[in-house]
Amino acid sequence: MFLHSLRVRLLLPVLALVLVSVVVLTVVLAMTQARHVRADANQFVERRTQALQGLFSVTRSVMLDRTHDAMRLLRTEGRRLGTASLGGRVTVGGRATNDLVLGGVSQANNFALVDGVTAIAQGTATLFARDGEDFVRVATNVRKDDGSRAIGTQLDPLGQVIGRMRKGENFYGVVDILGTPYVTGYEPIFADSDAQRAIGVWYVGYKTDLNALAEVVDGSQVLDSGFIAVFDSKDKLRFHSKTGATADPVEITRIAHENPGNWVISRQEVPGWGFSLVSAYPKSDVDKAIARQSLWIGGIGLLVCALILGLQWALIWSRVLKPIQHLAVVAEELSVGKWGHTIEETELKDEIGKLARAISRLSYSVRVAMERLAKLSR
C-alpha cells in the first residue's frame, strides 16, 4: 500500500535523480581529486629535490673555493722545500713503496708539511708517491676509522681521480675517501726532468658537512609512506626520510634498487657530487587519498541528497498532499450527506485549486438538490 501511495510516486523520481547526480558527481570529483593528489605529490617532490640540489650546489661551491685556497698553500709550502723527486723504497703503514722527496728531504712518515698546511687552512692534506701505476699516501692527516693516519693506503684504483693523475691532469670535485665524501683537490707532482709523468700527487680536501642536507631529507615525507633518499657514488644510502611509514634503511634501499611496479620512483643525479636523489611513493597512497576524498565527497553528496529530499517532502506535503487529503475528506463526507464544509483550497491557482472549486460546486449542487427533495417530501 505504501509503495502505491502518492507521496512515494512523487518522491521516487526525485530520489532517483538526486542519487544518480550524487554518484556521477562523486565519480567526477574523485577523478579530479586523483589528478590533484598525484600533481601535489609530484610538486612536493620537485620542490624538495630542487631545494636539495641547491644546497648541494652551494655547499660544493663554497667548499671548492676553500679547496683551491688550501691547494695553493700546499703547493707553495711544498715548493719552498725544493724540487720534487722519487726516493728509494720506504715502508709506510706497513706497505713498501717509493719515497717522495722535496728538496732532498724525505716526506715518508714526515707530517710537518701536511699538518702545517691544515693548521692554517684546516681540512686535510696528503702527499702521494707514485709506485708503478699506483699512488700511495706517504704523508697524510686523513684518518682511518680507528683514528690512525691513513699512510700506506693507496688512491682508489677504480675511482675517478687516478686516471686524471696518470694523465698529469688536475682534479677538483667530490670523492669518497675511506668511506666518507670529501670535497677535494688533486694536482700531479712532476719532477723537473719529466713534466709529463707524475711522480706524486698534492691533495687537499674537506670532509663534507651535510648536516643541513640531512635535516631537510630527514623531515621529508611524500604522502603517507613515500620517502626521499640520497645515495652516494658507491650507491650507499647516505640520508633518507625518517618521518613517514617507510623509514627503514634496508627497505628504502631495496625499493630504490628494485623499482617495484607498485611504486612511483624518480631518480636525479646531483651534478659534481656523484650522488643521486631518489624520491618514491607507493601507488596505494594515492588510492587511499582518493578513497578518503571520495568518502568525504560521497558523504557530503548524501547529506545534500537528504536535505533536498527533506525540502522536497515538505513542499510536496504542504502544496500537494495536505490539500489533496483535505479534499478527499470533503468528498468522502459529501458521499454520506455532509456538505457544510469550508474549502480553502479554492483560492489556489493550480490544478488542486481547480479540483477544489469543482468539489465546491459539487457540494453546492448536492446541497441544493437535497434541499429541494426535502421540500418536495413535505
Side-chain angles (χ1 to χ4, degrees):
M1 180 66 179
F2 175 77
L3 293 177
H4 297 288
S5 66
L6 183 58
R7 71 185 69 178
V8 172
R9 282 191 250 175
L10 289 173
L11 285 176
L12 276 180
V14 177
L15 176 61
L17 179 61
V18 171
L19 286 177
V20 169
S21 300
V22 168
V23 170
V24 172
L25 183 62
T26 300
V27 171
V28 171
L29 292 178
M31 294 174 63
T32 303
Q33 188 63 29
R35 290 194 294 268
H36 288 167
V37 170
R38 294 187 183 95
D40 290 346
N42 292 334
Q43 287 175 3
F44 173 82
V45 168
E46 184 177 358
R47 288 194 303 269
R48 191 52 55 95
T49 53
Q50 285 179 351
L52 289 171
Q53 291 280 19
L55 284 173
F56 273 117
S57 178
V58 170
T59 301
R60 182 176 183 273
S61 177
V62 170
M63 296 185 74
L64 277 178
D65 288 342
R66 295 181 65 189
T67 301
H68 280 285
D69 292 340
M71 179 61 77
R72 281 191 290 270
L73 178 62
L74 176 62
R75 288 199 319 263
T76 299
E77 295 299 315
R79 289 167 182 167
R80 184 176 295 168
L81 295 175
T83 58
S85 62
L86 282 178
R89 302 293 288 180
V90 293
T91 299
V92 288
R95 170 174 175 155
T97 184
N98 293 325
D99 191 6
L100 179 68
V101 178
L102 296 177
V105 178
S106 169
Q107 298 301 307
N109 299 308
N110 182 353
F111 310 115
L113 176 58
V114 294
D115 288 351
V117 168
T118 56
I120 298 171
Q122 299 182 331
T124 56
T126 298
L127 297 176
F128 290 85
R130 186 161 192 157
D131 186 22
E133 290 300 307
D134 296 329
F135 293 88
V136 180
R137 293 177 178 87
V138 295
T140 186
N141 46 36
V142 173
R143 303 283 177 171
K144 297 180 182 178
D145 290 340
D146 61 6
S148 63
R149 295 178 186 259
I151 53 174
T153 59
Q154 68 182 47
L155 188 60
D156 187 354
L158 302 177
Q160 54 185 327
V161 178
I162 194 165
R164 301 282 287 275
M165 297 303 103
R166 289 169 180 168
K167 295 177 181 178
E169 299 174 350
N170 298 341
F171 173 88
Y172 284 86
V174 179
V175 172
D176 185 282
I177 299 177
L178 305 178
T180 301
Y182 283 73
V183 176
T184 64
Y186 293 82
E187 293 191 8
I189 302 173
F190 298 104
D192 286 347
S193 59
D194 186 356
Q196 300 297 320
R197 179 179 170 83
I199 62 170
V201 175
W202 309 105
Y203 157 84
V204 292
Y206 292 89
K207 185 177 181 180
T208 53
D209 182 6
L210 301 177
N211 291 332
L213 290 160
E215 289 178 3
V216 173
V217 175
D218 288 353
S220 300
Q221 179 181 338
V222 186
L223 298 178
D224 294 331
S225 307
F227 61 84
I228 291 178
V230 178
F231 291 84
D232 64 17
S233 58
K234 295 185 177 180
D235 218 17
K236 176 184 176 182
L237 181 62
R238 286 288 177 183
F239 314 113
H240 62 87
S241 303
K242 296 180 180 179
T243 57
T246 307
D248 178 37
V250 175
E251 180 67 6
I252 289 174
T253 301
R254 183 192 69 80
I255 293 169
H257 290 165
E258 295 180 3
N259 295 320
N262 60 339
W263 281 71
V264 178
I265 301 174
S266 64
R267 183 183 293 265
Q268 290 185 13
E269 300 302 318
V270 182
W273 286 81
F275 287 9
S276 58
L277 285 172
V278 176
S279 60
Y281 60 87
K283 295 177 180 178
S284 60
D285 275 7
V286 177
D287 296 337
K288 290 176 183 176
I290 294 170
R292 287 195 296 267
Q293 294 295 330
S294 298
L295 287 175
W296 275 103
I297 294 168
I300 293 172
L302 290 175
L303 178 61
V304 172
C305 177
L307 290 175
I308 291 174
L309 286 177
L311 179 61
Q312 188 70 19
W313 164 252
L315 290 173
I316 290 174
W317 169 252
S318 63
R319 298 296 181 88
V320 179
L321 295 180
K322 186 178 179 181
I324 288 178
Q325 283 186 357
H326 181 240
L327 293 176
V329 171
V330 171
E332 183 69 25
E333 290 183 351
L334 279 176
S335 67
V336 294
K338 297 179 180 179
W339 50 76
H341 305 91
T342 300
I343 306 177
E344 297 176 351
E345 290 79 9
T346 56
E347 301 299 324
L348 299 175
K349 306 299 183 183
D350 54 15
E351 287 79 0
I352 295 177
K354 291 181 180 180
L355 177 61
R357 288 189 288 275
I359 293 176
S360 178
R361 290 193 297 269
L362 177 61
S363 175
Y364 176 76
S365 299
V366 170
R367 182 167 58 83
V368 170
M370 293 302 291
E371 288 176 352
R372 287 178 179 174
L373 283 173
K375 291 179 180 180
L376 289 174
S377 64
R378 287 198 296 268

